[in-house]
Structures are given as structure tokens and as C-alpha cells.
Amino acid sequence: MTSLVRSPFRVLAWLRRSRAVHPAGRTFTATVRRAPACPSWVPIEDGIATVRFSRGAGLPTRWPDVLGIAIRLPGEWDVLVASTARGLLPWPARSWRSARFGTITPYTRGGRRFRFGVEVTDARLGHGDPERLTGQLPTSATLILGDGTPVAVIAVDRPAEDVTFDPMLHHPRDMRMAPRWLARLRELAYAGSRWGRREFPRGH
């Protein structure tokens, strides 16, 4: 029975170890500035952030792929967005600039349900290659709500060491993902990933 329970976690661990999901990416340091239009109920702070740009399937860069941007905001808050269709489902995109990025799972706080997105307007980022970004710094992106309201400007300025993003552990105390059943599935997936990092540490 124990082996049956652990089997899904072993699969997730393998995915984590092999980087089968978002394997190709680059991590950078950024400066976050709260936007003047940011609503008071969104707990964004000015400070230093870590940002990772990645390709979901690691396909050749000449092909569309599900592009991802992971942001560790000040206060240890991880927001992960992916290129989407209509802001809901993961969808391949050709470039950071043309992609429509959104959080797949909504958040709730203070009785409000909302999503985050990211807008990339830098004309140089008309490609989906994380490797090219290092030579195109500094650049910037805007963190927005699902209705387009800007909440923060993220100025990406230099390469950084890779980190492990985990939105189930790193979030404001009174903010949760919704609906609960979907949040629970994500909790299980990230629990499996954490188990995998203990069972199969990098370099082994």
C-alpha cells in the first residue's frame, strides 16, 4: 500500500529531477516597484525579486512552446504565469512579447477572486529563447491583474542563481488558490516535487 501511495510522488519526483517540465530557462535578479494603480488589497511591496523565463516542453526555439515566467516577489511570494489561450489554458506562444501570460489557477483574498498576468512590451523580446535574454538586459515586464490593472513594474537587470519556485509554500498568509479542489491537486503535485528533491537531490 505504501508503494502505491508513493508511486505518484515518484513520478512527480522524476519529472522534477529530469526537468521534464519547463526544462529550458534562465534566472535573473529584478527590482520590483509597486504601480500607482495597484489596488490596496494586493500586497505588493517594493524590493528585489527573482525571475525565471522558461520553455514548458523545452522544444527548439524556432517552434512555439508554452512559455513561463516565474517571479519570486519581495516577501517570499511566488507567482507563476504561463502563456495561455484566453488567459485560461496553457497555450504555445512564439515570443515573450506576443504571449498572453496568466496564472492558470485563480487566487482568493478578502472575498475577491482574481488572476495575475504579465505583459512584456520590450520590442527586443520578439522571440521565445531564454538564452538570448542575458544579452538583452536590462529589460522589464509589468505584473497585472486579470482585468489589465497594473500592480507592479519588474525591472530585470542581471543573471542570478537558479531557485526552486513553489507557489503553494510561498504566498501571503491570507491569500489562497481557488477553487479548493484545484488548489488541492496543485498542493499534491508540489508536495510530490518537494519529496522528489529530498529523494533525488540534484547532482545524483
Side-chain angles (χ1 to χ4, degrees):
M1 178 63 72
T2 301
S3 62
L4 291 175
V5 172
R6 289 169 60 125
S7 293
F9 292 94
R10 288 186 179 277
V11 172
L12 290 165
W14 177 83
L15 288 171
R16 176 71 195 179
R17 186 187 182 196
S18 65
R19 283 195 175 273
V21 180
H22 288 272
R26 283 293 176 265
T27 304
F28 304 93
T29 296
T31 301
V32 174
R33 291 288 179 264
R34 183 183 176 95
C38 181
S40 59
W41 52 267
V42 180
I44 296 285
E45 303 173 3
D46 292 355
I48 303 302
T50 303
V51 182
R52 185 175 190 265
F53 293 80
S54 60
R55 295 177 61 82
L59 298 173
T61 55
R62 65 181 180 275
W63 296 350
D65 202 341
V66 176
L67 304 180
I69 302 177
I71 307 165
R72 175 158 293 171
L73 293 165
E76 291 289 300
W77 175 13
D78 291 353
V79 174
L80 278 59
V81 299
S83 57
T84 62
R86 302 184 180 222
L88 298 174
L89 299 174
W91 198 258
R94 291 190 176 275
S95 76
W96 312 106
R97 189 182 180 195
S98 65
R100 180 175 181 177
F101 289 101
T103 48
I104 306 304
T105 308
Y107 286 87
T108 61
R109 185 173 192 253
R112 298 178 177 88
R113 181 176 292 195
F114 57 95
R115 296 176 187 270
F116 286 111
V118 169
E119 287 184 344
V120 177
T121 58
D122 189 335
R124 298 173 301 164
L125 304 190
H127 63 85
D129 185 356
E131 299 287 344
R132 290 173 58 183
L133 292 170
T134 302
Q136 296 175 320
L137 301 179
T139 188
S140 65
T142 303
L143 183 66
I144 61 175
L145 293 176
D147 64 3
T149 302
V151 296
V153 176
I154 301 168
V156 183
D157 54 20
R158 63 185 183 277
E161 294 293 325
D162 202 6
V163 301
T164 300
F165 294 89
D166 191 330
M168 308 311 296
L169 286 181
H170 303 143
H171 58 79
R173 183 171 299 178
D174 59 348
M175 184 175 289
R176 295 290 183 270
M177 292 183 178
R180 183 58 191 165
W181 65 266
L182 183 55
R184 181 56 179 160
L185 288 178
R186 296 201 69 180
E187 286 173 356
L188 291 172
Y190 277 92
S193 179
R194 291 190 290 273
W195 176 86
R197 291 196 296 275
R198 292 193 298 271
E199 188 82 0
F200 303 112
R202 290 184 187 180
H204 290 263

